């Protein structure tokens, strides 16, 4: 099975469409690591598109919980709060119900991999530090743990002989062979709001048979997405950060 791994789409339909086009024919099923909505201008369109893809596995993110009314936006900064209440007011009842129905991670994908939004020990935790990555690697019940939430593509590897970290560093592709005796904690990056300084949409492909994970970047019509943010009346900072990739 070849999985297309999508995380943190954040209501950015232009980015999602570009990724689907770039990855077309390279995958069998879609996996979503949460945060379908929040920040971006097309929450209903993105949820409709994701539902049509019929993901083999999908979990909720913190923004999905707020948009679904499961949690309040108290922990969000002012801009995220404004975007969250804007989203809440626009979701169709069906799409809101869909977000309510999404399970919390961690969720097993298959005997090789499991998925979570933040961390396997807490769906809302951010894995930035090597200490948290080590904790996640030790707690993960699979050889591969896929996560999102930080919007930062990264691969942590742990074996009996060592621990290390891989990043894309401006490349368009990072290939990671999944070796025996090594555990992997992998963030494919954000489709809809990258924060590693590269504005291109980020995604991953996991080939379960070939034991290989690849991280990719795809160009998308950035100006069109920015214009939609402004037209929607969302904070302009949300349009600016798309171009900065921050
Ligand atoms: Zn997110």
């Amino acid at each position: 099975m070849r999985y297309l791994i999508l995380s943190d789409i954040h209501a950015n339909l232009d980015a999602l469409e570009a990724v689907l086009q770039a990855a077309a024919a390279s995958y069998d099923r879609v996996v979503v690591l949460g945060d379908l909505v929040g920040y971006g201008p097309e929450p209903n369109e993105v949820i409709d598109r994701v539902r049509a893809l019929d993901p083999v596995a999908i979990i909720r993110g913190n923004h999905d919980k707020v948009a679904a009314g499961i949690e309040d936006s108290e922990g969000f900064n002012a801009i995220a709060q404004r975007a969250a209440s804007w989203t809440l007011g626009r979701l169709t009842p069906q799409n809101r119900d869909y977000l309510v129905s999404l399970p919390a991670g961690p969720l097993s994908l298959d005997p090789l991999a499991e998925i979570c939004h933040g961390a396997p020990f807490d769906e809302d935790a951010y894995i930035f530090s090597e200490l948290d990555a080590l904790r996640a690697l030790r707690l993960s019940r699979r050889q591969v743990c896929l996560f999102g939430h930080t919007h930062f593509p990264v691969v942590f590897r742990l074996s009996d002989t060592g621990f290390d970290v891989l990043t894309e560093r401006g490349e368009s592709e990072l290939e990671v062979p999944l070796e025996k005796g090594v555990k992997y904690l992998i963030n494919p990056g954000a489709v809809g709001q990258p924060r590693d300084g590269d504005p291109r949409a980020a995604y991953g492909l996991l080939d379960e048979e070939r034991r290989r994970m690849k991280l990719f970047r795809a160009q998308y019509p950035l100006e069109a997405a920015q214009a939609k943010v402004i037209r929607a009346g969302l904070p302009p900072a949300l349009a600016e950060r798309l171009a900065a990739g921050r």
Side-chain angles (χ1 to χ4, degrees):
M1 184 72 78
R2 299 166 307 160
Y3 302 103
L4 170 62
I5 315 295
L6 306 175
S7 191
D8 298 279
I9 304 165
H10 284 292
N12 186 341
L13 184 68
D14 294 295
L16 175 60
E17 293 292 1
V19 165
L20 292 173
Q21 210 175 347
S26 319
Y27 68 93
D28 305 304
R29 297 301 301 269
V30 172
V31 173
V32 183
L33 309 184
D35 275 1
L36 283 70
V37 302
Y39 298 125
E42 296 186 290
N44 286 307
E45 292 82 351
V46 162
I47 296 174
D48 289 342
R49 191 73 172 98
V50 166
R51 293 176 74 169
L53 292 168
D54 188 23
V56 65
I58 178 168
I59 49 173
R60 67 191 189 184
N62 52 320
H63 286 262
D64 302 322
K65 280 195 281 184
V66 171
I70 294 169
E71 229 172 66
D72 63 33
S73 61
E74 212 175 284
F76 284 4
N77 65 39
I79 286 174
Q81 276 188 3
R82 273 180 59 196
S85 60
W86 180 93
T87 304
L88 201 58
R90 267 155 196 84
L91 282 183
T92 64
Q94 294 87 337
N95 283 340
R96 196 178 153 154
D97 287 348
Y98 181 72
L99 293 184
V100 171
S101 78
L102 297 180
L107 185 73
S108 287
L109 179 62
D110 62 13
L112 174 70
E114 70 173 356
I115 63 173
C116 59
H117 183 65
F121 49 84
D122 177 352
E123 63 175 332
D124 295 329
Y126 290 90
I127 298 178
F128 279 117
S129 75
E130 296 190 357
L131 205 64
D132 286 333
L134 269 170
R135 189 177 165 210
L137 279 160
R138 294 213 167 95
L139 285 170
S140 170
R141 299 157 302 174
R142 293 286 186 268
Q143 189 193 354
V144 179
C145 178
L146 303 170
F147 75 107
H149 198 35
T150 62
H151 300 205
F152 199 96
V154 65
V155 178
F156 296 99
R157 298 188 291 196
L158 177 68
S159 68
D160 289 342
T161 52
F163 170 74
D164 69 349
V165 188
L166 304 172
T167 54
E168 285 173 327
R169 291 198 191 91
E171 300 298 316
S172 295
E173 202 178 308
L174 175 68
E175 183 170 340
V176 186
L178 304 172
E179 292 161 31
K180 274 206 176 93
V182 183
K183 282 183 96 177
Y184 297 84
L185 176 68
I186 304 175
N187 189 329
V191 172
Q193 196 197 74
R195 292 183 192 160
D196 61 342
D198 183 341
R200 295 176 298 169
Y203 65 100
L205 286 172
L206 172 64
D207 191 323
E208 170 251 328
E209 269 154 51
R210 289 188 177 167
R211 291 287 194 269
R212 187 181 65 196
M213 177 84 190
K214 278 187 175 186
L215 304 190
F216 294 92
R217 304 304 282 249
Q219 297 275 9
Y220 74 95
L222 191 63
E223 288 81 13
Q226 289 182 302
K228 287 176 190 171
V229 170
I230 302 299
R231 234 181 296 138
L234 284 160
L238 292 173
E240 287 156 24
R241 75 184 300 178
L242 289 179
R246 294 278 177 205

